[in-house]
Amino acid sequence: MADSISTENSGTLQRRGLLFILSSPSGAGKSTLARLLLKADDEIAMSVSVTTRQQRPGEEHGKDYYFVSGDEFEEMAADHAFLEYATVFGNRYATPAAPVQQSLEAGQDVLFDIDWQGTQQLYQRAGQDVVRVFILPPSLSQLRERLETRATDSPEIIDSRMQRATDEISHWDGYDYVLVNDDLDACFEKVKQILATERLRRARQTGLIGFVRDLMQQD
Ligand code: ADP
Ligand code: 5GP
């Protein structure tokens, strides 16, 4: 894994960049929420993961994922290119370190769509800069319905995602915020509120130190 991550950015934010994680059982809506957030907010950039899984129709290399072979994945891991990695549904997934660092340096927060294992690893590395949000479906039957409506997976894959859902959900208490994605618009509003509030935390407002120092010297 990569050795360090610095969230001090030199961009326009005048604050520490944050690492904003969305996790959920597959089908609960995290990609939809992530897409909406990226469209609505130009101060946050998506972390594009590396994976060994098969590319699905409609997915773009470099946009949805970097699709690599098992050997390529191992080479990158040996080169310390990853911030975290995990095996999910039998495939390998990882967060490349360099683009995250570049986004933070450019003054952008970084959005992650990763599972609970990756969340734990990022939290261990950069705890105070990490904001963890878990998305729950309103019910398991609606989760299945969403997977069926999304129509990206075969019935067998949908069954295996449903089997894994309760395992993923069991990690809900490792997150700072837990939202039920019943109404999409309402849930998205909450995601935006969390991000806005977290950006305002005193520890993230590095620009405040100089401001308050100057303020106290006035008069
Ligand atoms: P995930 O990324 O968690 O696997 P997706 O974002 O792909 O899930 O959502 C799965 C499906 O559910 C998609 O077809 C999406 O349009 C739909 N969906 C997402 N949120 C809602 C919601 N609140 N109500 C109904 N359908 C939703
Ligand atoms: P999918 O194959 O459906 O795109 O993603 C399957 C699961 O892998 C999802 O729970 C997703 O959040 C997770 N995932 C995607 N990229 C990464 C990553 O880089 N690291 C980790 N730990 N999980 C990831």
Side-chain angles (χ1 to χ4, degrees):
M1 277 192 216
D3 299 323
S4 67
I5 177 166
S6 165
T7 49
E8 289 294 340
N9 61 56
S10 58
T12 53
L13 295 187
Q14 287 286 306
R15 60 172 173 80
R16 294 173 72 80
L18 57 80
L19 311 180
F20 196 72
I21 301 177
L22 290 179
S23 298
S24 78
S26 184
K30 63 189 170 307
S31 316
T32 306
L33 291 162
R35 263 196 303 277
L36 290 171
L37 193 57
L38 291 169
K39 222 165 118 186
D41 188 325
D42 57 10
E43 282 185 20
I44 196 160
M46 189 78 204
S47 163
V48 180
S49 297
V50 171
T51 184
T52 61
R53 89 147 155 71
Q54 286 272 309
Q55 193 166 352
R56 295 186 196 127
E59 283 185 329
E60 271 181 53
H61 180 82
K63 181 164 174 274
D64 298 291
Y65 281 104
Y66 294 102
F67 297 94
V68 299
S69 67
D71 286 348
E72 285 170 315
F73 190 100
E74 293 310 327
E75 260 173 50
M76 292 176 84
D79 281 347
H80 306 282
F82 298 143
L83 281 181
E84 61 78 30
Y85 51 80
T87 301
V88 187
F89 300 125
N91 298 305
R92 310 272 276 148
Y93 293 84
T95 300
V100 173
Q101 195 59 58
Q102 282 158 14
S103 292
L104 291 169
E105 282 169 10
Q108 287 194 304
D109 297 321
V110 186
L111 176 60
F112 298 85
D113 169 346
I114 60 176
D115 82 333
W116 64 272
Q117 305 171 82
T119 302
Q120 277 187 354
Q121 292 171 51
L122 274 194
Y123 186 70
Q124 277 158 11
R125 305 188 63 139
Q128 63 167 343
D129 297 313
V130 170
V131 179
R132 301 162 295 179
V133 182
F134 196 81
I135 309 294
L136 286 171
S139 66
L140 288 184
S141 60
Q142 286 189 60
L143 184 67
R144 180 178 282 277
E145 233 171 72
R146 286 181 192 176
L147 287 170
E148 285 168 356
T149 310
R150 188 172 70 180
T152 51
D153 301 310
S154 65
E156 295 74 35
I157 301 264
I158 290 180
D159 282 345
S160 76
R161 288 187 186 281
M162 286 303 295
Q163 271 165 26
R164 220 188 108 90
T166 45
D167 177 46
E168 186 77 27
I169 290 170
S170 72
H171 297 282
W172 69 282
D173 59 353
Y175 287 75
D176 306 303
Y177 300 90
V178 180
L179 301 176
V180 178
N181 180 17
D182 190 350
D183 177 81
L184 181 61
D185 291 342
C187 187
F188 180 51
E189 281 308 311
K190 288 179 188 157
V191 169
K192 284 195 294 188
Q193 277 173 24
I194 293 168
L195 182 56
T197 307
E198 287 288 343
R199 281 173 171 162
L200 289 172
R201 286 176 83 103
R202 179 170 57 81
R204 300 215 163 90
Q205 305 275 346
T206 50
L208 269 182
I209 299 168
F211 177 79
V212 173
R213 195 179 44 225
D214 291 350
L215 194 65
M216 289 170 68
Q217 282 167 358
Q218 288 171 7
D219 193 38

